[in-house]
Amino acid sequence: MEVIEILREVSNKIYENVKDLAGTEHAAGDFGRGAGGDISRNIDIIAEKTVLDFLKEINFPCVVLGEECGRVELSKEPKGYVIMDAIDGSANAVRGVPFFCSSLAFATENKLSSITDGVITNLHNGEMYWASKDKGSYFNQEQMKVHNKDPIYKIVGINTSGASTELMKKLHPIFENHNHTRHFGANALEMALFARGLMDIFIDLRDKIRIQDIAAGYLIVKEAGGLLLDANLNPLDADLSYDTRVSFIAAANQKILDEIMSQM
Ligand code: IPD
Ligand code: CA
Ligand code: CA
């Protein structure tokens, strides 16, 4: 089985196992702090267990880097890393807001830039976004590209959850100049929507994003033709460490990037 097929199949299994849980008390059960630093909810644990059980069942030789379970070595001779955010947008999932996803990526080395495969699945409806290196990005069965024309409505995604006063001041001109700013609460799924051409730029400059939040989106955005930069406008890369926190800008093209940057 190709790596991408493994990630797609197990993403479908997550969807089957959690699709009826959103907004229920059962989803919210508290399991203490996970490796990523947030409280692990029952829905997170169920989704992660689905992945770990499947990878064990098929004897996939890898190291799993899970947001809740931490580093799990499934083999003494691993082929690479499975970077897992089994539920991204946990707050939405627990409250029943229909915007949360799973994010799974495979990397051959300890770097974002070595990611070869990524899958983001919308766990409200099962829609799947996926990419393999040099093979393009797909939405279900259709190849997808970022929006590269002048849009009818320019949609600017900005993650401002928990942003500092200083950052909010810096971002303020963007809010003032754009009528259609958006933040939906699941970073990975927002990157997928951007890659599909539904947003023109997506910005998260809070220095809070973990490797698990961004790994699959990293490849999906790039394979869809998007620019993916760090806060200094250099190509985004980072170590796959639990201490890593990144800021990033995903832009459909240089024009919108220049326009937004000139306002900050
Ligand atoms: C969170 C979501 C959210 C972002 C947070 C992440 P989680 O992931 O992606 O949109 O603002 O920084 O931690 O905790 O739901 O997996
Ligand atoms: Ca996350
Ligand atoms: Ca999560």
Short mmCIF file of all heavy atoms in Angstrom, two decimals, residues 44 67-68 85-90 210 213, ligand 3:
data_model
loop_
_atom_site.label_atom_id
_atom_site.label_comp_id
_atom_site.label_asym_id
_atom_site.label_seq_id
_atom_site.Cartn_x
_atom_site.Cartn_y
_atom_site.Cartn_z
N ASP A 44 -10.52 13.35 20.86
CA ASP A 44 -9.12 13.33 20.41
C ASP A 44 -8.54 11.92 20.60
O ASP A 44 -7.84 11.40 19.73
CB ASP A 44 -8.26 14.29 21.25
CG ASP A 44 -8.66 15.76 21.12
OD1 ASP A 44 -8.84 16.23 19.99
OD2 ASP A 44 -8.79 16.43 22.16
N GLU A 67 -0.37 14.62 18.48
CA GLU A 67 -0.55 15.81 19.31
C GLU A 67 -0.88 15.43 20.77
O GLU A 67 -0.43 16.10 21.69
CB GLU A 67 -1.68 16.68 18.75
CG GLU A 67 -1.70 18.04 19.39
CD GLU A 67 -2.71 18.95 18.75
OE1 GLU A 67 -2.37 19.58 17.74
OE2 GLU A 67 -3.84 19.01 19.24
N GLU A 68 -1.63 14.37 20.96
CA GLU A 68 -1.99 13.97 22.33
C GLU A 68 -1.06 12.88 22.86
O GLU A 68 -0.57 12.97 23.98
CB GLU A 68 -3.43 13.43 22.39
CG GLU A 68 -4.46 14.20 21.58
CD GLU A 68 -4.61 15.65 21.99
OE1 GLU A 68 -4.36 15.98 23.15
OE2 GLU A 68 -4.96 16.47 21.12
N ASP A 85 -2.40 15.12 13.82
CA ASP A 85 -3.35 15.90 14.62
C ASP A 85 -4.69 15.25 14.31
O ASP A 85 -5.35 15.58 13.32
CB ASP A 85 -3.31 17.38 14.22
CG ASP A 85 -4.12 18.24 15.19
OD1 ASP A 85 -4.75 17.67 16.09
OD2 ASP A 85 -4.10 19.47 15.03
N ALA A 86 -5.05 14.26 15.13
CA ALA A 86 -6.20 13.41 14.78
C ALA A 86 -7.49 14.20 14.79
O ALA A 86 -8.42 13.91 14.03
CB ALA A 86 -6.27 12.22 15.73
N ILE A 87 -7.58 15.22 15.66
CA ILE A 87 -8.70 16.17 15.62
C ILE A 87 -8.10 17.57 15.67
O ILE A 87 -7.54 17.98 16.70
CB ILE A 87 -9.66 16.02 16.83
CG1 ILE A 87 -10.22 14.60 16.96
CG2 ILE A 87 -10.79 17.07 16.75
CD1 ILE A 87 -11.35 14.24 16.01
N ASP A 88 -8.20 18.31 14.59
CA ASP A 88 -7.81 19.72 14.61
C ASP A 88 -9.11 20.52 14.65
O ASP A 88 -10.01 20.29 13.83
CB ASP A 88 -6.99 20.07 13.36
CG ASP A 88 -6.52 21.52 13.42
OD1 ASP A 88 -5.90 21.90 14.42
OD2 ASP A 88 -6.81 22.28 12.47
N GLY A 89 -9.17 21.44 15.62
CA GLY A 89 -10.42 22.16 15.84
C GLY A 89 -11.21 21.45 16.93
O GLY A 89 -12.44 21.32 16.85
N SER A 90 -10.51 21.00 17.98
CA SER A 90 -11.18 20.25 19.06
C SER A 90 -12.29 21.05 19.72
O SER A 90 -13.32 20.49 20.09
CB SER A 90 -10.17 19.86 20.14
OG SER A 90 -9.29 18.92 19.62
N ARG A 210 1.62 24.49 16.01
CA ARG A 210 2.49 23.34 16.23
C ARG A 210 2.71 22.60 14.92
O ARG A 210 1.93 22.76 13.97
CB ARG A 210 1.82 22.37 17.23
CG ARG A 210 1.76 22.88 18.65
CD ARG A 210 0.84 22.02 19.49
NE ARG A 210 -0.53 22.18 19.05
CZ ARG A 210 -1.57 22.33 19.86
NH1 ARG A 210 -1.40 22.31 21.16
NH2 ARG A 210 -2.78 22.47 19.38
N ASP A 213 -0.33 20.86 13.69
CA ASP A 213 -1.38 21.70 13.10
C ASP A 213 -1.12 21.96 11.62
O ASP A 213 -2.04 22.27 10.86
CB ASP A 213 -1.42 23.10 13.77
CG ASP A 213 -1.74 23.05 15.26
OD1 ASP A 213 -2.68 22.36 15.63
OD2 ASP A 213 -1.03 23.73 16.03
CA CA B 3 -5.71 18.47 17.98
#
